Amino acid sequence: MADNHNFRVKNGLEVGGNITTTGNISIPLASKLYFGGGSHTYIFEDADDRLRFFVGGAEFMRFTETTANLVHFYQNVSTTGNLIVGGDVTATGYLQATSYLYTRNNL
């Protein structure tokens, strides 16, 4: 029979090795998952069904689950490979290409 024990820490826990779990890890709403031991690169859910990604203190990307299921980018997006979109593209600014821009229909 397996033992089911809870382990709680109130004022922080520092681990010098790996952490392995066979269960889930739960992070409360508005709490952040930090990277690099710092305070400027993190992921957090600030509201139900919205996940935000920050690097260097600046928001880069946001996922929002609604009837529209949105992904927002808050910095320039670059790719060294192909960018394939399986739906419509709506632009409020310029669409720029340094090489060719292919379309199925006339622009």
Side-chain angles (χ1 to χ4, degrees), residues 56-70:
E59 185 172 15
F60 271 70
M61 186 169 48
R62 182 184 300 178
F63 295 109
T64 306
E65 194 282 319
T66 64
T67 55
N69 292 330
L70 302 171

Side-chain angles (χ1 to χ4, degrees), residues 69-80:
N69 292 330
L70 302 171
V71 177
H72 287 103
F73 295 98
Y74 292 94
Q75 306 296 326
N76 292 334
V77 177
S78 298
T79 179
T80 56

Side-chain angles (χ1 to χ4, degrees), residues 14-36:
E14 186 172 326
V15 178
N18 296 330
I19 297 174
T20 303
T21 179
T22 57
N24 297 322
I25 296 175
S26 178
I27 300 174
L29 183 69
S31 293
K32 298 171 181 157
L33 175 61
Y34 288 99
F35 296 88

Side-chain angles (χ1 to χ4, degrees), residues 17-56:
N18 296 330
I19 297 174
T20 303
T21 179
T22 57
N24 297 322
I25 296 175
S26 178
I27 300 174
L29 183 69
S31 293
K32 298 171 181 157
L33 175 61
Y34 288 99
F35 296 88
S39 61
H40 49 79
T41 300
Y42 55 90
I43 300 170
F44 84 113
E45 182 185 30
D46 68 324
D48 286 341
D49 301 325
R50 184 167 63 196
L51 192 62
R52 300 169 69 183
F53 292 76
F54 286 77
V55 177

